[in-house]
Amino acid sequence: MTGDVFDPEQLSRCISCGFCLPACPTYAMTGDEASSPRGRITLMRALQDGTLPPDDGTLAEESSFCLGCRACEPVCPAGVEYGSLLEQWRVHQWRGWRRPLVARALMLLVEQRWLLRLSGLVRRAARGRAVTPAPPPSAPAASALSAPASGAAPAPAAAPGSAAAGGAGAQLMLGCVERGLYPAVSRAARALAPELAVPTAQGCCGALHAHNGDLAGGERLAERLGADLPGTIVTTSGGCAAHLASVLGRDRVRELSTWLADRPAGAELRVGGRRARVTLQDSCHLRNGLGVFAEPRMLLRQVADYVELPSAAACCGAAGTYSLLRPKDSRRILDAKLDEIEAAGVDLVVAVNPGCLRQLRTGLRRRRSAVRAVHLAELLARVESP
Amino acid sequence: MALSATVLAELRGIVGPSHVHDAAGDLVAYARDATPLFSHRPDAVVFPADTAEVAAVLALATRHRVPVVPRGAGSNLCAATVPLRGGIVLVLTRLNAILEVSGDELLARTQPGATSAALADAAAAQGLLWAPDPGSRTVATVGGTIATCAGGLRGLKYGVTRNYVLGLEAVLPTGEVIRTGGRLWKDVAGYDLTRLLTGSEGTLAVITEATVALLPAPASANTGVAYFPTLADAGEAVARVIRAGVVPATLEFLDRACIDAVEDFAHLGLRTDAGALLLFGDDGPPDLVAAHLDRIGAACVEAGAVEVTTAREVAQAEALLAARRCALPALSRRGGVTILEDATVPRPRIAEMVDRIDAIAARHDVAIATFGHAGDGNLHPTCVLDSAEDHDAVRRAEAAFADVFAAAIDLGGTITGEHGVGAAKLPFLAARLGEDQLALLRRIKSAFDPAGILNPGKLGS
């Protein structure tokens, strides 16, 4: 009766070798097969063939406990597309009222275009409550980084190669989370790549929907965004990039670091009279979904001393809406990450995705850490125009 | 057989309520390991935290006659951790501390749930080498590596796991804790229970701590690749390498199908037009490694290699070895079910064995690709089927492998070189050991496990 939840071809690709286990953050927490990718695929198979009833408690728990970070994909020799299976799983698991309320509310919100525009106006309130980092006491250059954040939202497109004309040029995607929380990121991206058009008439890419059990909604929104932004879409969000690429095709979508990769380096970033020490937190979907991780590192190496964290590729616990839906688990994952960041003696930790940025900023602020979290675009824009 | 409420309550009392799982979904997740075609649900999954909890669970199980299957990461390929008779799966992943690494004594003490790679890393941090190197090392636990006496890519020079186990702490099914061996290389007091437990596949006792021998880490290591027109040419190269007096650390071969699959996954730039490749490597002082690699390369050219290259940097050598480690799962990209087997023949008979496997595959109308450890005669014939639902194809594959094992024994070899017997090879064990020895195995089993609760349906059953 439940035989149509998953694409059977994708489901059969897993041979249960278990090579995914060491890559999985939730398996690392529990040591429990059921919370590993292999175990979850076994559960999916049981759901598909009716061995487990659709309302089984373990099915519900594990579909929600999974971060969806897709760290299991690059290490899977058999080529299982786990992220896609998880999306299919949640379509079934989180149907209708069973979808978490927070996710439902957020999904509804980001679908309102007028609200996205409005959010730029009220962002100060949002930032003030949630994410404004305290300026570190002894990091003059770093505190200068926060300067762009106090400006206005990106101006409406008065840009060359207008998007409305049918998409000859490339356009900057604003992103629904960034519009609300981090408008400075989009502004910095625009300063770095002035050739990008920035149409304000653009909605949400639908990644939020796809990851929260509304695959059809996620596709519909991505297609609508693709129509709003014909041609190449440049985004400052790893999560949006991966989702858009999965719907619109890889050739349509560029994450900012790959767009900037060939440009000459800016001036070096200095903190307290020396070259800054920076590290990168990968965006899971950017790294595991699109295989992009070299470019942001290359850009950072040009302007600062780059420190690679052992867990740079491992999820920070933000995972889209995860930090809202499962705050305790999210915190456990983040805490280990923050310990590592603080031990590394860096000035800045750089994110390439707004969710990771929010997670890291909130965590570092809670610890009153001297380390600051910034988006790659903010850091580079600061370097470009000191 | 569902467990009674009394047993479940006692289990929860021993390890804590959150460490006993008996919901249907949790049981499904523990119904299988990495072995295809074997699956059976346990009645409870129990996660003990220490030796005392393991002992209490086993004593309880013996008292109530409940089967117990100890399990690490479940990466084994012989169905050793499938709970064929239900009961308790005893998961040892919480016992994952590496307790000690001693450079002076060249040993480490570890709990069973640490991964083989974690132990290797801890050893490397002190300039030491944990020699056993199974393909699944990043996943596989040390406990499982010892319980199956796993081998790996360095087997030719370094042997299998049993050469490195100095002592064990283990819990008998009746709940007594024993310590076998210890910290000494030379210790001949009594029967060698350390070796008996190594490779016993969780049928005699549950390993709760291991003291293992480490080696000084070799100063350098390098790897090379030689391509051949046919697998027979590669086999000839192996014979020439050994005759040249070189015992390399690694001497692996892949046939054309395996090269294709690995290249598909790892994108290393392997030549996919070759009929076979030999991956060779050695470790030791840099000049000796270079000299050995030169001699191996020359032997390969004499045997008809069309191209021989060595890795230019360490990262590349690591990538080659990593690719070889994942040959099995990579092969699965070719179809729905991948059955990998493990047979060993004396080194000079490798080419003959490969020919026989080809003939067997043709006779049963199945596709069998072969890769393996050419240096020690350990082959992994691997059959890829479109679907497990194709029952006729599954039957043909099983018949083919029965013939493969018979061929291995016929050539003076064995039915498993490194994966273990488990449930998958048990039907072939009599052909290898003979009835008298099997009967002795059963008597040993009942001496350790009078109630027959530990991993029933496996060795000693």
Side-chain angles (χ1 to χ4, degrees), chain A residues 16-72:
Chain A
S16 299
C17 68
F19 277 44
C20 53
L21 267 55
C24 176
T26 53
Y27 179 74
M29 269 200 272
T30 63
D32 182 353
E33 176 76 25
S35 53
S36 77
R38 174 178 66 175
R40 290 186 176 118
I41 287 176
T42 305
L43 290 171
M44 293 181 204
R45 285 177 172 157
L47 173 64
Q48 180 92 339
D49 66 22
T51 314
L52 281 178
D55 59 354
D56 178 84
T58 309
L59 282 172
E61 166 65 10
E62 288 304 334
S63 70
S64 145
F65 186 32
C66 175
L67 292 147
C69 70
R70 296 167 67 179
C72 45

Side-chain angles (χ1 to χ4, degrees), chain A residues 208-247:
Chain A
L208 185 69
H209 293 63
H211 301 160
N212 286 289
D214 181 8
L215 208 41
E219 278 175 22
R220 175 173 49 80
L221 285 168
E223 272 157 16
R224 199 169 77 181
L225 188 70
D228 287 346
L229 307 175
T232 302
I233 300 171
V234 178
T235 163
T236 50
S237 157
C240 303
H243 174 68
L244 277 175
S246 74
V247 179

Side-chain angles (χ1 to χ4, degrees), chain A residues 37-385:
Chain A
R38 174 178 66 175
R40 290 186 176 118
I41 287 176
T42 305
L43 290 171
M44 293 181 204
R45 285 177 172 157
L47 173 64
Q48 180 92 339
D49 66 22
T51 314
L52 281 178
D55 59 354
D56 178 84
T58 309
L59 282 172
E61 166 65 10
E62 288 304 334
S63 70
S64 145
F65 186 32
C66 175
L67 292 147
C69 70
R70 296 167 67 179
C72 45
E73 288 187 47
V75 298
C76 174
V80 175
E81 292 169 21
Y82 178 87
S84 170
L85 288 170
L86 177 69
E87 286 178 357
Q88 294 165 30
W89 192 9
R90 286 186 177 167
V91 168
H92 176 83
Q93 205 71 47
W94 290 358
R95 250 185 327 215
W97 61 269
R98 285 191 301 190
R99 181 172 303 141
L101 196 63
V102 177
R104 255 187 288 170
L106 278 174
M107 286 159 65
L108 205 63
L109 276 178
V110 299
E111 280 202 61
Q112 314 303 316
R113 292 179 168 219
W114 60 270
L115 196 67
L116 286 184
R117 291 200 197 193
L118 188 69
S119 67
L121 301 175
V122 297
R123 81 204 175 283
R124 271 199 186 85
R127 274 198 306 116
R129 274 213 318 278
V131 291
T132 303
S138 60
S143 69
L145 279 167
S146 63
S150 56
S162 169
Q171 295 125 104
L172 182 67
M173 183 191 143
L174 295 172
C176 50
V177 178
E178 268 180 21
R179 274 191 172 193
L181 298 181
Y182 307 118
V185 171
S186 303
R187 200 165 37 252
R190 205 178 169 203
L192 290 165
E195 73 281 10
L196 296 177
V198 192
T200 48
Q202 49 172 291
C204 163
C205 70
L208 185 69
H209 293 63
H211 301 160
N212 286 289
D214 181 8
L215 208 41
E219 278 175 22
R220 175 173 49 80
L221 285 168
E223 272 157 16
R224 199 169 77 181
L225 188 70
D228 287 346
L229 307 175
T232 302
I233 300 171
V234 178
T235 163
T236 50
S237 157
C240 303
H243 174 68
L244 277 175
S246 74
V247 179
L248 301 177
R250 285 188 174 220
D251 51 335
R252 287 281 310 276
V253 187
R254 297 283 296 277
E255 186 271 337
L256 184 72
S257 69
T258 67
W259 185 257
L260 297 176
D262 303 330
R263 305 196 181 193
E268 85 172 358
L269 179 70
R270 298 186 72 79
V271 169
R274 59 171 171 75
R275 198 170 153 91
R277 283 167 60 83
V278 306
T279 188
L280 182 83
Q281 167 61 40
D282 279 299
S283 148
C284 292
H285 280 226
L286 187 62
R287 182 177 183 121
N288 304 324
L290 292 180
V292 174
F293 54 90
E295 289 87 347
R297 286 171 169 76
M298 195 194 72
L299 289 165
L300 288 174
R301 281 202 176 93
Q302 289 174 353
V303 300
D305 285 342
Y306 180 72
V307 182
E308 181 76 24
L309 291 182
S311 80
C315 183
C316 65
T321 52
Y322 195 87
S323 57
L324 302 172
L325 300 177
R326 300 189 65 114
K328 272 191 198 147
D329 293 324
S330 169
R331 208 49 208 265
R332 276 177 75 186
I333 291 168
L334 177 64
D335 279 341
K337 171 92 49 190
L338 294 178
D339 289 345
E340 202 178 281
I341 289 172
E342 297 210 295
V346 293
D347 304 302
L348 295 164
V349 51
V350 179
V352 285
N353 185 61
C356 317
L357 182 60
R358 179 183 175 277
Q359 175 87 340
L360 293 169
R361 273 197 183 160
T362 310
L364 288 168
R365 196 179 55 135
R366 197 185 289 127
R367 292 187 172 207
R368 303 177 188 283
S369 173
V371 181
R372 298 270 324 280
V374 296
H375 191 283
L376 179 71
E378 291 178 283
L379 181 141
L380 293 176
R382 157 64 188 70
V383 172
E384 293 293 332
S385 48

